C-alpha cells in the first residue's frame, strides 16, 4: 500500500463517528434485565453474544440463564447513545450514563443481573 493511500484511509477512519452508551439485555422468560455501558457501541451486541455463547461473560448470573434458556430468550437494545467526538474521558461519561439507568431501572436482586453499587440506594 502506498503512502498516499494509507494517509487517505487513515483520514477516512478518523471521520468515522463513534458512539458510547448504555445497553439493556432482557430475559423474556423471567423478566430480569442486565445493564452495561460501553465507550464504543460499534458491534457491541456481537461481542456480548459471542462471550455468552462461549460461556465467558463476566456476569455469572446472566451467563447461567443464557445457558439455561438459550439465545432466543434474550432481547438486546440500546437505551442511550451519545457521540464521543468532543468527550475527553469517554469511559467516565459512559459510567455516568450507566449510573443514571441503574437508578431508573433498578436491575438488582430478583429484578435483574446487576450487582447493586454502593453509591445507589
Amino acid at each position: 500500500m502506498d503512502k498516499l493511500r494509507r494517509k487517505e484511509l487513515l483520514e477516512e477512519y478518523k471521520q468515522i463517528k463513534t458512539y458510547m452508551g448504555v445497553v439493556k439485555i432482557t430475559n423474556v422468560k423471567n423478566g430480569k434485565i442486565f445493564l452495561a455501558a460501553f465507550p464504543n457501541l460499534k458491534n457491541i451486541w456481537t461481542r456480548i453474544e459471542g462471550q455468552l455463547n462461549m460461556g465467558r461473560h463476566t456476569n455469572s448470573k446472566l451467563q447461567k440463564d443464557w445457558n439455561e434458556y438459550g439465545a432466543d430468550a434474550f432481547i438486546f437494545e440500546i437505551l442511550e447513545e451519545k457521540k464521543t467526538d468532543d468527550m475527553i474521558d469517554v469511559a467516565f461519561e459512559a459510567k455516568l450514563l450507566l449510573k443514571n439507568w441503574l437508578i431508573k431501572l433498578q436491575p438488582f436482586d430478583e429484578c435483574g443481573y446487576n450487582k447493586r453499587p454502593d453509591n445507589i440506594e
Side-chain angles (χ1 to χ4, degrees):
M1 178 182 311
D2 67 359
K3 290 182 181 181
L4 180 59
R5 179 67 180 140
R6 184 176 178 165
K7 187 176 180 179
E8 289 172 357
L9 290 173
L10 184 58
E11 279 304 312
E12 285 177 28
Y13 178 76
K14 288 179 181 179
Q15 298 304 315
I16 295 173
K17 303 290 184 205
T18 57
Y19 296 86
M20 54 80 84
V22 176
V23 302
K24 178 172 90 167
I25 300 171
T26 304
N27 181 331
V28 296
K29 298 288 185 180
N30 62 19
K32 288 186 176 184
I33 62 174
F34 174 72
L35 302 180
F38 296 96
N40 188 347
L41 292 175
K42 184 176 182 181
N43 299 322
I44 196 64
W45 177 237
T46 303
R47 188 170 23 154
I48 295 169
E49 190 176 32
Q51 291 171 341
L52 288 163
N53 286 332
M54 290 187 300
R56 296 182 178 261
H57 196 274
T58 56
N59 187 294
S60 60
K61 293 176 185 176
L62 175 61
Q63 184 68 63
K64 179 182 174 293
D65 280 359
W66 182 273
N67 295 343
E68 182 178 337
Y69 297 114
D72 292 339
F74 293 86
I75 298 171
F76 171 82
E77 61 188 298
I78 295 174
L79 294 177
E80 186 172 358
E81 65 181 11
K82 289 188 175 183
K83 287 183 184 178
T84 60
D85 296 351
D86 299 324
M87 291 185 187
I88 295 171
D89 189 345
V90 177
F92 177 75
E93 295 290 334
K95 286 179 185 179
L96 288 178
L97 282 182
L98 178 60
K99 182 178 178 182
N100 291 335
W101 282 101
L102 289 171
I103 291 168
K104 183 176 183 176
L105 298 179
Q106 298 283 312
F108 314 119
D109 306 318
E110 68 280 342
C111 296
Y113 300 103
N114 292 82
K115 181 181 174 189
R116 183 184 302 273
D118 293 335
N119 58 352
I120 294 178
E121 295 296 324

